[in-house]
Structure formats: C-alpha cells, structure tokens
Amino acid sequence: MTMERESINGVPEVTAVSTLNVIDLSGSDTHRSVSSLKQACLDCGFFYVINHGISDELMKEVFDQSRKAFALPLSEKMKLLKNEKHRGYTPLFDERLDPVNQLNAGDYKEGYYIGIEVPEDDPRAQEPYYGPNVWPDEDVLPGWRQCMEKYHQLALDVAKAVSRLIALALDLEIEYFNKQEILGEPIAILRLLHYEGRVSDPSKGIYGAGAHSDFGFITLLATDDVSGLQICKDKDAVPQKWEYVEPVKGAFVVNLGDMLERWSNCIFRSTLHRVIIGGQERYSIAYFVLPNHNCLVECLPTCRSEENPPKFPPIRCRTYLGQRYEETHANLSKYQTHADLSTQERPKT
C-alpha cells in the first residue's frame, strides 16, 4: 500500500505503510520474543507490543479524559501551563522539533505533561525533572488525576517488561536496565497529545510534529484510529523515504530513544519520525521512559570491542535531557502574558 504526498522540493513522495514486528508480552516463548524484538531494533527501532496488561476499558478512559482536558477553553488550559519541571499544559507551537524545516511555526499540536508525582517537601523534588504535577481541579475534570496516575503506573510496568527483552537482546542480564541506578527511579513522562487537524504541508514547514528522534530510553505510544505517524528508516537518504505506522487497536507502538542508541553504540537504532495530519483531529498518548537523573549513559560492555570502540562520550541523563529540551521547547518567558495566547494566532505561512 502506498500514499502520495508532496515533498519539500515539490517532487511527489511515495509513502508506504511500514510492516513492524509484533511482540506479545504474554507469550511463553521468550527466545522468540527476544529474537523478534532484536530484529526490529536492528532494522528501525519501532515495533508493536500486544497483550501488555492494560485493559481496553482503562485505555478508553484515558483517551476520554484527554479529550475533555483539551476541550476546555484556552483560558482554563493556560491556568495549567507547564512549569519549570516540564509538568502541565503546552499550547500549540510550544515545541519545534525540526527547526531546519519548521521555519515559521512549531508543531501544530497541544500537549499535557505528567511525571512521577513527588511532593514538594521530598528531597527528590530538588531534581530538575521531579516534583509535583500540575493537576486540574477536581470540580473541573472529575476523576482526571486518578485516571492518569493509574495509567502512569501501569505504563511503567509495561516499559520495564519491554526493558527485560531489550536487555536479553543485547546479551545483558535480564534485569540490567531495571537496576536502581537506571530504571529504579526513572524519569517517566506521560504526555497527552492533541493534533487539531490542520492539514500538514511539508513544503511550507507545517507539521503535526516535525521530524525528530526521541530523547530517552524507550517510548510507548497509544493512538486513536487516525493515521499520521511516519518513520524514516534512513535519515541520510536523499530524498528521505517516509513510511506510515498504522494504528493497531489495543497495541502500543514502541520506539527506541537516543539514549538507548548511545548505550548500544548505534547497534540499536533511534529512528527519525514525524506526524503528518490530513485534516482530522488526532489524539495520542505518549509515555517517555528515561533513566535516573544521575544515570551515566555510556557504551554497554556487550556493544564495544577493539574493532568497534565507543562512538559517544559518557553523559549524565539529566545533562542530556536538559540539552534536548532547550533545543526543542519554548522558553517559559514566552508565556509571561497569557493574553498573547488568547486567540492562538497562526503564524504566516
């Protein structure tokens, strides 16, 4: 199956539908699961996960609650604006994931960040990505916080199950990534996303989400039934070839992040992806999993040799994440006056 769109240089771009491996987390054949996952990680760093243990009922509730939050008036959403810990609401254009091609505007999406809840008086709240979340009032969105907290914990369990297969695929001990200093106290970020339906036009730099790779260890993505996610398996190809990743009911789309690519010395791939909107609203729920703030991300012992020395210097998770956020997110000073956002004026294109 192929779909034709205009590429940035005006030449028709044929976009195929990608065929991804499917990993069954309830399966008893661990060897088969590890082999399938490893092939996916070597090929494109994207795969589906099914039978993950999160019920269809809870998934429906999370999507319903997400829609209710984004349907609030902008004035109400701006009361929940993200803070310096990257918790809370992010308006349209807050994120510019592909600055080279997004010259006039950021991403045509709004979002909501929810991290692991850490009380303000907890010493861990001094860390840059730990602290209290920004929650809507119960009378505005009844049951919203409870729903999101429940999903957050269950999604972390799924991520840890996937991490065990990744460890085995890299010839590591099965709980390698679940050690205290790595995913024992992770930076785990739930992000609700709403694409308003503006038709994407790459020739004008208009994207639901610009081309990027994720920052962290792995990402779990749940989507509605509206297509839009595309991957580019070879970012250096000219022209780039983009393939759709179609929604699969009840499945997570899982992709590897840049930290895992660094850990694996580029054996496993963190792949370029973007969101192209065809005129329909689209909702998705991303769950970004990163290691402990102080985790040192350096080449794994099973991924280096005399012939293949480490390609990257060691770096702390907090340092790397800070650099990437600074590159792609609007500074909070942009929102010093909420009135500027009252009409969500579109940039000229």
Side-chain angles (χ1 to χ4, degrees):
M1 179 179 175
T2 60
M3 302 180 185
E4 192 172 286
R5 294 188 181 274
E6 288 292 314
S7 68
I8 291 173
N9 62 7
V11 177
E13 173 187 283
V14 177
T15 308
V17 175
S18 190
T19 301
L20 302 182
N21 287 5
V22 179
I23 313 300
D24 185 346
L25 288 187
S26 69
S28 58
D29 190 342
T30 302
H31 177 78
R32 181 178 179 180
S33 296
V34 170
S35 177
S36 182
L37 178 142
K38 183 173 184 176
Q39 187 55 51
C41 294
L42 293 169
D43 176 42
C44 65
F46 271 78
F47 50 91
Y48 295 110
V49 162
I50 61 172
N51 295 325
H52 41 67
I54 298 181
S55 69
D56 291 343
E57 291 75 20
L58 178 58
M59 290 301 312
K60 182 180 183 302
E61 184 182 0
V62 176
F63 273 102
D64 288 346
Q65 293 283 19
S66 175
R67 290 185 181 93
K68 289 177 183 177
F70 289 123
L72 291 172
L74 181 61
S75 57
E76 286 295 316
K77 291 186 285 191
M78 291 304 290
K79 294 176 185 177
L80 304 167
L81 186 67
K82 71 172 182 179
N83 58 25
E84 70 283 351
K85 302 275 189 174
H86 287 276
R87 309 289 180 94
Y89 175 69
T90 56
L92 292 173
F93 318 124
D94 177 82
E95 202 170 11
R96 191 188 300 254
L97 289 168
D98 184 8
V100 173
N101 291 311
Q102 292 176 283
L103 298 178
N104 296 312
D107 294 350
Y108 278 79
K109 70 175 190 293
E110 54 184 342
Y112 202 104
Y113 283 108
I114 303 166
I116 293 173
E117 182 72 18
V118 177
E120 209 160 358
D121 58 358
D122 189 310
R124 295 176 300 160
Q126 302 305 309
E127 298 284 10
Y129 303 104
Y130 271 179
N133 285 298
V134 177
W135 297 111
D137 290 340
E138 180 68 15
D139 59 345
V140 175
L141 291 173
W144 201 87
R145 175 174 177 171
Q146 294 89 331
C147 172
M148 297 304 165
E149 288 188 319
K150 180 178 181 180
Y151 179 80
H152 196 294
Q153 182 55 58
L154 292 175
L156 183 57
D157 292 341
V158 175
K160 289 185 175 183
V162 174
S163 79
R164 295 182 180 99
L165 298 179
I166 292 173
L168 293 175
L170 289 169
D171 297 320
L172 299 166
E173 187 268 324
I174 191 170
E175 297 292 346
Y176 182 91
F177 291 112
N178 289 325
K179 292 186 292 188
Q180 184 64 21
E181 62 270 27
I182 301 180
L183 295 182
E185 283 191 312
I187 302 171
I189 303 164
L190 169 61
R191 194 176 188 197
L192 312 176
L193 294 165
H194 172 224
Y195 300 87
E196 58 158 19
R198 171 69 182 266
V199 177
S200 298
D201 186 346
S203 69
K204 295 180 179 179
I206 299 173
Y207 298 88
H212 66 286
S213 56
D214 288 351
F215 310 158
F217 175 60
I218 59 172
T219 303
L220 310 180
L221 181 71
T223 72
D224 60 14
D225 58 0
V226 178
S227 296
L229 176 63
Q230 296 181 345
I231 63 174
C232 176
K233 294 181 180 179
D234 184 0
K235 63 182 178 182
D236 297 319
V238 180
Q240 291 177 334
K241 178 184 177 184
W242 291 92
E243 301 178 8
Y244 276 97
V245 173
E246 291 295 277
V248 172
K249 185 172 176 56
F252 282 117
V253 177
V254 181
N255 66 281
L256 311 185
D258 296 341
M259 286 187 186
L260 184 51
E261 183 172 84
R262 291 176 74 107
W263 253 318
S264 71
N265 212 20
C266 293
I267 292 172
F268 283 1
R269 301 178 57 195
S270 176
T271 293
L272 204 63
H273 53 285
R274 67 186 187 184
V275 175
I276 297 293
I277 299 299
Q280 288 181 275
E281 277 189 295
R282 181 175 184 268
Y283 293 86
S284 64
I285 301 165
Y287 192 79
F288 302 101
V289 182
L290 302 97
N292 183 291
H293 279 79
N294 293 314
C295 178
L296 188 66
V297 179
E298 58 182 335
C299 184
L300 294 165
T302 57
C303 298
R304 62 187 178 205
S305 63
E306 287 187 15
E307 297 76 26
N308 187 31
K311 295 177 174 63
F312 305 99
I315 190 168
R316 298 279 176 197
C317 175
R318 66 167 70 229
T319 304
Y320 187 73
L321 186 56
Q323 292 171 354
R324 296 298 299 273
Y325 269 134
E326 187 174 342
E327 292 167 0
T328 57
H329 286 67
N331 191 287
L332 280 173
S333 62
K334 174 182 176 181
Y335 305 121
Q336 284 179 346
T337 171
H338 294 178
D340 292 344
L341 275 270
S342 62
T343 59
Q344 288 289 277
E345 180 183 353
R346 269 48 171 177
K348 294 180 175 60
T349 54

